[in-house]
Amino acid sequence: MKSKQSLWYIVLIASAAGMAGFLYGFDTAVISGAITFLQDLYDLSPAMEGIIISSVMVGGVIGVGISGFLSDRMGRKKILMVSGIIFAVSALWSALAGSVLSLILARFLGGLGIGFASALSVTYIAECAPPAIRGRLGSMYQLFTIIGISGTFYINLAVANSGTYQWGLETGWRWMLGYGVIPGILFFLLLIFIPESPRFLVKNKKTEEALHTLQRINGRETAQKELNSIQASIEMETSTSIRELLRPGLRKAMLLGIFLALFNQVIGMNAVTYYGPTIFRGIGFENNTEFLATSLIGTVQVIFTIVAILLIDKAGRKKLMAVGSSLMALFMVLIGSVFYFNIDGIWALIFIMGFTAAFCISMGPIPWIMIPEIFPNYLRAKAVGIATMFLWAANGAIGQFTPMLINNAGGAFTFWMFAAICFICFIFVMTIVPETKNRTLEEIETIWKPEKRYINY
């Protein structure tokens, strides 16, 4: 089969699966617009504000926790389709919610669906993608996440400008949340046209079907080699218990996956995403310019995520994360200084845009790529689920405690705290993280074998 046809096919299926990121991005961004109205409508305290935002993460932790077990039995594709349905139902329920409790429950359900999708989307893409472009294809999840965030910021801006503030208070926020029905249904429909993961098929004795998919991805000759490699990898292992992740070697991979997941969240990007309008309003932006400022951040996210996709398989994972985390630490110091010295708010916008650009070429997309890369076939779905549980838990903590930190400790302390975390992330990348570009998934497995020392990090 011609390589051009193979390339378009894998881009198509990676894009369909990667659209799970759009659901995550939509939900991450839409609440930043709605919470502005919900604060006044229900007279929310900072703690209750955090609960409404973080309720989706509680569902997400549960979703990713069980996604690996369900997908190992039912398949990656089926569970992804279920997640699309759950998300659409959650969006409709959120729009119709008549109380804070109802909204919290609706967002919890949405988190369950996004949790299923977030872990399995990156697992599915990693299991389908050829090694030479796996980084770019794995970035599809983050690209769709950023498109979802940026697009939703503009939806929030349009809804906020569609009527008076009183209209937004009574109706506008419902439209913001209700638009989530559309991507949920679209995600479900797109998944109908993609195949099941070839590695899942081989594991479940559907070798001919797996070979057919691999041929469409890689061409006939390479597909047979890939199939042989997958079969050899699976036949070498006899246990799929998560206790295997505590063995020497794999234990290191599990810890690496967990810390990559944590750093994706705790460095501060979602503090801006969730509370952007609130932060900008607190430093002088008004008359809906706080929504415009947040929308500009979303545009920067899209541009620099595309830059990351172009660079990731050339520059490598490790180098981009090192450069990005060091720049993020610098920009967080500058953002905190704006609050401490009461500098004009436009500088905060500029520095946040710089931080966002650094995040989007490094700790934004790369953890989503590396986490499924570093685990062996027979444990990948479960291990990615566990690592993503930590990601969602950290996400929930950011959603819950950011307004309380800003309210009680001030913006300067909050952003300087994030600067320190970014610096710790830089040290972690330089000392612990291996490079995985241009390696097959089966080759990466050998890094963690106890008898093999891997020195050239």
Coordinates of all heavy atoms in Angstrom, one line a residue, residues 283-347:
I283 N -7.5 42.2 38.0 CA -6.3 43.1 37.8 C -6.7 44.3 36.8 O -5.9 44.8 36.2 CB -5.1 42.4 37.3 CG1 -5.4 41.5 36.0 CG2 -4.5 41.5 38.4 CD1 -4.2 40.8 35.5
G284 N -8.0 44.5 36.7 CA -8.5 45.7 36.0 C -9.2 45.5 34.7 O -9.7 46.5 34.1
F285 N -9.3 44.3 34.2 CA -10.0 44.1 32.9 C -11.6 44.1 33.3 O -12.0 43.5 34.3 CB -9.7 42.8 32.3 CG -8.3 42.7 31.7 CD1 -7.2 42.6 32.5 CD2 -8.1 42.8 30.3 CE1 -5.9 42.6 32.0 CE2 -6.8 42.8 29.8 CZ -5.7 42.7 30.6
E286 N -12.3 44.8 32.4 CA -13.8 44.9 32.6 C -14.5 45.0 31.3 O -13.9 45.0 30.3 CB -14.1 46.1 33.5 CG -13.5 47.4 33.0 CD -13.7 48.5 34.0 OE1 -14.1 48.3 35.1 OE2 -13.4 49.7 33.5
N287 N -15.9 45.1 31.4 CA -16.8 45.2 30.3 C -16.5 44.1 29.2 O -16.4 44.3 28.0 CB -16.6 46.6 29.6 CG -17.0 47.7 30.5 OD1 -17.9 47.6 31.3 ND2 -16.2 48.8 30.4
N288 N -16.4 42.9 29.7 CA -16.1 41.6 28.9 C -14.7 41.6 28.3 O -14.4 40.6 27.6 CB -17.2 41.5 27.8 CG -18.6 41.1 28.4 OD1 -18.6 40.6 29.5 ND2 -19.6 41.3 27.6
T289 N -13.9 42.5 28.6 CA -12.5 42.4 28.1 C -11.8 41.3 28.8 O -10.8 40.8 28.3 CB -11.7 43.7 28.3 OG1 -11.7 44.1 29.7 CG2 -12.3 44.9 27.5
E290 N -12.2 40.8 30.0 CA -11.6 39.7 30.6 C -11.9 38.4 29.8 O -11.0 37.5 29.8 CB -12.2 39.5 32.1 CG -13.7 39.2 32.2 CD -14.6 40.4 32.3 OE1 -14.2 41.4 31.7 OE2 -15.6 40.3 32.9
F291 N -13.0 38.3 29.1 CA -13.3 37.2 28.3 C -12.4 37.3 27.0 O -11.9 36.3 26.5 CB -14.8 37.2 27.9 CG -15.7 36.8 29.0 CD1 -16.4 37.7 29.7 CD2 -15.8 35.4 29.4 CE1 -17.3 37.4 30.7 CE2 -16.6 35.1 30.4 CZ -17.4 36.0 31.1
L292 N -12.2 38.5 26.5 CA -11.4 38.7 25.3 C -9.9 38.3 25.6 O -9.3 37.7 24.8 CB -11.4 40.2 24.9 CG -10.6 40.6 23.7 CD1 -10.9 39.7 22.4 CD2 -10.7 42.0 23.4
A293 N -9.4 38.8 26.8 CA -8.1 38.4 27.2 C -7.9 36.9 27.3 O -6.9 36.3 26.8 CB -7.7 39.1 28.5
T294 N -8.9 36.2 27.9 CA -8.8 34.8 28.0 C -8.8 34.1 26.6 O -8.2 33.1 26.3 CB -10.0 34.2 28.8 OG1 -10.0 35.0 30.1 CG2 -9.8 32.8 29.1
S295 N -9.6 34.7 25.7 CA -9.7 34.2 24.3 C -8.3 34.3 23.6 O -7.9 33.4 22.8 CB -10.8 34.9 23.5 OG -12.0 34.7 24.1
L296 N -7.6 35.4 23.8 CA -6.3 35.6 23.2 C -5.3 34.5 23.7 O -4.5 34.0 23.0 CB -5.7 36.9 23.6 CG -6.4 38.1 22.9 CD1 -5.9 39.5 23.4 CD2 -6.3 38.1 21.4
I297 N -5.5 34.1 25.0 CA -4.6 33.0 25.6 C -4.9 31.7 24.8 O -4.0 31.0 24.5 CB -4.9 32.9 27.1 CG1 -4.6 34.2 27.8 CG2 -4.2 31.6 27.6 CD1 -3.6 34.3 28.7
G298 N -6.2 31.5 24.5 CA -6.6 30.3 23.8 C -6.0 30.3 22.4 O -5.6 29.2 21.9
T299 N -5.9 31.4 21.8 CA -5.3 31.5 20.4 C -3.8 31.1 20.5 O -3.3 30.4 19.6 CB -5.5 32.9 19.8 OG1 -6.9 33.2 19.8 CG2 -4.9 33.0 18.4
V300 N -3.1 31.7 21.5 CA -1.7 31.3 21.7 C -1.6 29.8 21.9 O -0.6 29.2 21.4 CB -1.1 32.1 22.9 CG1 0.3 31.6 23.3 CG2 -1.1 33.6 22.6
Q301 N -2.5 29.2 22.6 CA -2.4 27.8 22.9 C -2.5 27.0 21.6 O -1.7 26.0 21.3 CB -3.5 27.3 23.8 CG -3.3 27.8 25.2 CD -4.5 27.3 26.1 OE1 -5.7 27.6 25.8 NE2 -4.2 26.7 27.2
V302 N -3.4 27.4 20.7 CA -3.5 26.7 19.4 C -2.2 26.8 18.6 O -1.7 25.8 18.1 CB -4.7 27.2 18.6 CG1 -4.7 26.6 17.2 CG2 -6.0 26.9 19.3
I303 N -1.7 28.0 18.4 CA -0.5 28.3 17.6 C 0.7 27.5 18.1 O 1.3 26.8 17.3 CB -0.2 29.8 17.6 CG1 -1.3 30.6 16.9 CG2 1.2 30.0 16.9 CD1 -1.2 32.1 17.0
F304 N 0.9 27.5 19.4 CA 2.1 26.8 19.9 C 2.0 25.3 20.1 O 3.0 24.6 20.1 CB 2.6 27.5 21.2 CG 3.4 28.8 20.9 CD1 2.7 30.0 20.8 CD2 4.7 28.8 20.6 CE1 3.3 31.2 20.5 CE2 5.4 30.0 20.3 CZ 4.7 31.2 20.2
T305 N 0.7 24.8 20.1 CA 0.6 23.4 20.1 C 0.9 22.9 18.7 O 1.5 21.8 18.6 CB -0.9 23.0 20.5 OG1 -1.1 23.5 21.8 CG2 -1.1 21.5 20.5
I306 N 0.5 23.6 17.7 CA 0.9 23.2 16.3 C 2.4 23.2 16.2 O 3.0 22.4 15.5 CB 0.2 24.2 15.3 CG1 -1.3 23.9 15.3 CG2 0.8 23.9 13.9 CD1 -2.1 24.9 14.5
V307 N 3.1 24.3 16.7 CA 4.5 24.3 16.7 C 5.1 23.0 17.4 O 6.1 22.5 16.9 CB 5.0 25.6 17.4 CG1 6.6 25.5 17.6 CG2 4.6 26.8 16.7
A308 N 4.5 22.6 18.5 CA 5.0 21.4 19.2 C 4.9 20.2 18.3 O 5.8 19.4 18.3 CB 4.2 21.3 20.5
I309 N 3.8 20.1 17.6 CA 3.5 18.9 16.7 C 4.6 18.9 15.7 O 5.1 17.8 15.3 CB 2.1 19.0 16.1 CG1 1.1 18.8 17.2 CG2 2.0 18.0 15.0 CD1 -0.3 19.0 16.7
L310 N 5.0 20.0 15.1 CA 6.1 20.1 14.1 C 7.4 19.7 14.6 O 8.3 19.2 13.9 CB 6.1 21.4 13.4 CG 4.8 21.9 12.7 CD1 4.9 23.3 12.2 CD2 4.5 20.9 11.5
L311 N 7.7 20.0 15.9 CA 9.0 19.8 16.5 C 9.2 18.5 17.2 O 10.4 18.0 17.3 CB 9.3 21.0 17.5 CG 9.5 22.4 17.0 CD1 9.7 23.4 18.1 CD2 10.6 22.4 16.0
I312 N 8.2 17.9 17.7 CA 8.3 16.9 18.7 C 9.1 15.6 18.3 O 9.8 15.0 19.0 CB 6.9 16.5 19.3 CG1 7.1 15.7 20.6 CG2 6.1 15.7 18.3 CD1 5.9 15.7 21.5
D313 N 8.9 15.2 17.0 CA 9.6 14.0 16.5 C 11.0 14.4 16.0 O 11.7 13.5 15.6 CB 8.8 13.3 15.5 CG 7.6 12.5 16.1 OD1 7.9 11.9 17.1 OD2 6.5 12.6 15.6
K314 N 11.3 15.7 15.9 CA 12.7 16.1 15.5 C 13.5 16.5 16.7 O 14.6 16.0 16.9 CB 12.5 17.3 14.5 CG 11.8 17.0 13.2 CD 11.7 18.2 12.3 CE 10.9 17.9 11.0 NZ 10.8 19.1 10.2
A315 N 13.0 17.4 17.5 CA 13.8 17.9 18.7 C 13.8 16.8 19.8 O 14.8 16.8 20.5 CB 13.2 19.2 19.2
G316 N 12.7 16.1 19.9 CA 12.7 15.1 21.0 C 11.9 15.5 22.2 O 11.7 16.7 22.4
R317 N 11.4 14.5 22.9 CA 10.5 14.9 24.1 C 11.3 15.6 25.2 O 10.8 16.6 25.7 CB 9.9 13.6 24.6 CG 8.8 12.9 23.9 CD 9.2 12.3 22.6 NE 8.4 11.3 22.1 CZ 8.1 11.0 20.8 NH1 8.7 11.7 19.9 NH2 7.4 10.0 20.5
K318 N 12.4 15.0 25.5 CA 13.2 15.5 26.7 C 13.6 17.0 26.5 O 13.5 17.8 27.4 CB 14.4 14.6 26.9 CG 15.2 14.9 28.2 CD 16.4 14.0 28.2 CE 17.3 14.3 29.5 NZ 16.7 13.6 30.7
K319 N 14.2 17.3 25.3 CA 14.7 18.6 25.1 C 13.6 19.7 25.2 O 13.7 20.7 25.8 CB 15.4 18.7 23.8 CG 16.1 20.1 23.5 CD 16.7 20.1 22.1 CE 17.9 19.1 22.0 NZ 18.6 19.2 20.7
L320 N 12.4 19.4 24.6 CA 11.3 20.3 24.6 C 10.8 20.5 26.0 O 10.5 21.7 26.4 CB 10.2 19.8 23.7 CG 10.5 20.0 22.2 CD1 9.3 19.4 21.4 CD2 10.7 21.4 21.8
M321 N 10.7 19.5 26.8 CA 10.2 19.6 28.2 C 11.2 20.4 29.0 O 10.8 21.2 29.9 CB 10.0 18.2 28.8 CG 8.7 17.6 28.3 SD 8.2 16.2 29.3 CE 9.5 15.0 29.0
A322 N 12.5 20.2 28.8 CA 13.5 21.0 29.6 C 13.4 22.5 29.3 O 13.4 23.3 30.2 CB 14.9 20.5 29.3
V323 N 13.4 22.8 28.0 CA 13.3 24.2 27.6 C 12.0 24.8 28.1 O 11.9 25.9 28.6 CB 13.4 24.4 26.0 CG1 13.1 25.8 25.6 CG2 14.8 23.9 25.6
G324 N 10.9 24.1 27.8 CA 9.6 24.6 28.2 C 9.4 24.9 29.7 O 8.9 25.9 30.1
S325 N 9.9 23.9 30.5 CA 9.7 24.1 32.0 C 10.5 25.2 32.5 O 10.1 25.9 33.5 CB 10.0 22.7 32.7 OG 11.3 22.3 32.4
S326 N 11.7 25.4 32.0 CA 12.6 26.5 32.5 C 11.9 27.9 32.1 O 11.9 28.8 32.9 CB 14.0 26.4 31.9 OG 13.9 26.5 30.5
L327 N 11.4 28.0 30.9 CA 10.7 29.2 30.5 C 9.4 29.4 31.3 O 9.1 30.6 31.7 CB 10.3 29.2 29.0 CG 11.5 29.3 28.0 CD1 11.0 29.1 26.6 CD2 12.2 30.7 28.2
M328 N 8.7 28.4 31.6 CA 7.5 28.5 32.4 C 7.8 29.1 33.8 O 7.1 29.9 34.4 CB 6.8 27.2 32.5 CG 6.0 26.8 31.3 SD 5.0 25.3 31.5 CE 6.2 24.1 31.6
A329 N 8.9 28.6 34.4 CA 9.3 29.1 35.7 C 9.6 30.6 35.7 O 9.1 31.3 36.6 CB 10.5 28.3 36.2
L330 N 10.3 31.0 34.6 CA 10.6 32.4 34.5 C 9.3 33.3 34.3 O 9.2 34.3 35.0 CB 11.5 32.6 33.2 CG 11.7 34.1 32.8 CD1 12.5 34.8 33.9 CD2 12.5 34.1 31.5
F331 N 8.4 32.8 33.5 CA 7.2 33.6 33.3 C 6.3 33.6 34.5 O 5.6 34.6 34.8 CB 6.4 33.1 32.1 CG 7.0 33.5 30.7 CD1 7.5 32.6 29.8 CD2 7.0 34.9 30.4 CE1 8.0 33.0 28.6 CE2 7.5 35.3 29.2 CZ 8.0 34.4 28.3
M332 N 6.3 32.5 35.3 CA 5.5 32.5 36.5 C 6.1 33.5 37.5 O 5.3 34.2 38.3 CB 5.4 31.1 37.1 CG 4.3 30.3 36.5 SD 2.7 31.0 36.8 CE 1.6 29.7 36.1
V333 N 7.4 33.7 37.6 CA 8.0 34.7 38.5 C 7.5 36.1 38.0 O 7.2 36.9 38.9 CB 9.5 34.6 38.4 CG1 10.2 35.8 39.1 CG2 10.0 33.3 39.1
L334 N 7.5 36.3 36.7 CA 7.1 37.6 36.2 C 5.6 37.9 36.5 O 5.2 39.0 36.8 CB 7.4 37.7 34.7 CG 8.9 37.7 34.4 CD1 9.0 37.6 32.8 CD2 9.6 38.9 34.9
I335 N 4.8 36.9 36.3 CA 3.3 37.1 36.6 C 3.1 37.4 38.1 O 2.3 38.3 38.4 CB 2.6 35.8 36.2 CG1 2.6 35.5 34.7 CG2 1.1 35.9 36.6 CD1 2.2 34.2 34.3
G336 N 3.8 36.7 39.0 CA 3.7 37.0 40.4 C 4.1 38.4 40.7 O 3.5 39.1 41.6
S337 N 5.1 38.9 40.0 CA 5.6 40.2 40.2 C 4.6 41.3 39.8 O 4.6 42.4 40.5 CB 6.9 40.4 39.4 OG 7.9 39.5 39.8
V338 N 3.8 41.0 38.8 CA 2.7 41.9 38.4 C 1.8 42.1 39.6 O 1.4 43.3 39.9 CB 2.0 41.4 37.2 CG1 0.7 42.2 36.9 CG2 2.9 41.4 36.0
F339 N 1.4 41.0 40.3 CA 0.5 41.1 41.4 C 1.2 41.8 42.6 O 0.6 42.7 43.3 CB 0.0 39.8 41.8 CG -1.0 39.2 40.9 CD1 -0.7 38.5 39.8 CD2 -2.4 39.4 41.2 CE1 -1.6 38.0 38.9 CE2 -3.3 38.8 40.4 CZ -3.0 38.2 39.2
Y340 N 2.5 41.5 42.9 CA 3.2 42.0 44.0 C 3.4 43.5 43.9 O 3.3 44.2 44.9 CB 4.5 41.2 44.2 CG 5.2 41.6 45.5 CD1 4.9 41.0 46.7 CD2 6.3 42.5 45.5 CE1 5.5 41.3 47.9 CE2 7.0 42.8 46.7 CZ 6.6 42.2 47.8 OH 7.2 42.5 49.0
F341 N 3.8 43.9 42.7 CA 4.2 45.4 42.6 C 3.0 46.2 42.0 O 3.2 47.3 41.7 CB 5.4 45.5 41.7 CG 6.7 44.9 42.3 CD1 7.2 43.7 41.8 CD2 7.3 45.5 43.3 CE1 8.4 43.2 42.4 CE2 8.5 45.0 43.9 CZ 9.0 43.8 43.4
N342 N 1.9 45.5 41.8 CA 0.7 46.2 41.3 C 0.9 46.9 40.0 O 0.6 48.0 39.7 CB 0.2 47.2 42.3 CG -1.3 47.6 42.0 OD1 -2.0 46.9 41.4 ND2 -1.6 48.8 42.4
I343 N 1.6 46.1 39.0 CA 1.9 46.6 37.7 C 0.7 46.6 36.8 O -0.3 45.8 37.1 CB 3.1 45.8 37.1 CG1 4.3 45.9 38.0 CG2 3.4 46.2 35.7 CD1 5.4 44.9 37.6
D344 N 0.6 47.4 35.8 CA -0.5 47.4 34.8 C -0.8 46.0 34.4 O 0.0 45.2 34.0 CB -0.1 48.3 33.6 CG -1.3 48.6 32.7 OD1 -2.1 47.7 32.4 OD2 -1.5 49.8 32.4
G345 N -2.1 45.7 34.4 CA -2.6 44.3 34.1 C -2.2 43.8 32.7 O -2.2 42.6 32.5
I346 N -2.0 44.7 31.8 CA -1.6 44.3 30.4 C -0.3 43.5 30.4 O -0.1 42.5 29.6 CB -1.4 45.5 29.5 CG1 -1.4 45.0 28.0 CG2 -0.2 46.3 29.8 CD1 -2.6 44.4 27.5
W347 N 0.6 43.7 31.4 CA 1.8 43.0 31.5 C 1.5 41.5 32.0 O 2.2 40.6 31.5 CB 2.8 43.6 32.5 CG 3.4 44.8 31.8 CD1 3.1 46.2 32.1 CD2 4.4 44.8 30.8 NE1 3.9 47.0 31.3 CE2 4.7 46.2 30.5 CE3 5.1 43.8 30.2 CZ2 5.7 46.5 29.5 CZ3 6.1 44.2 29.2 CH2 6.3 45.5 28.9

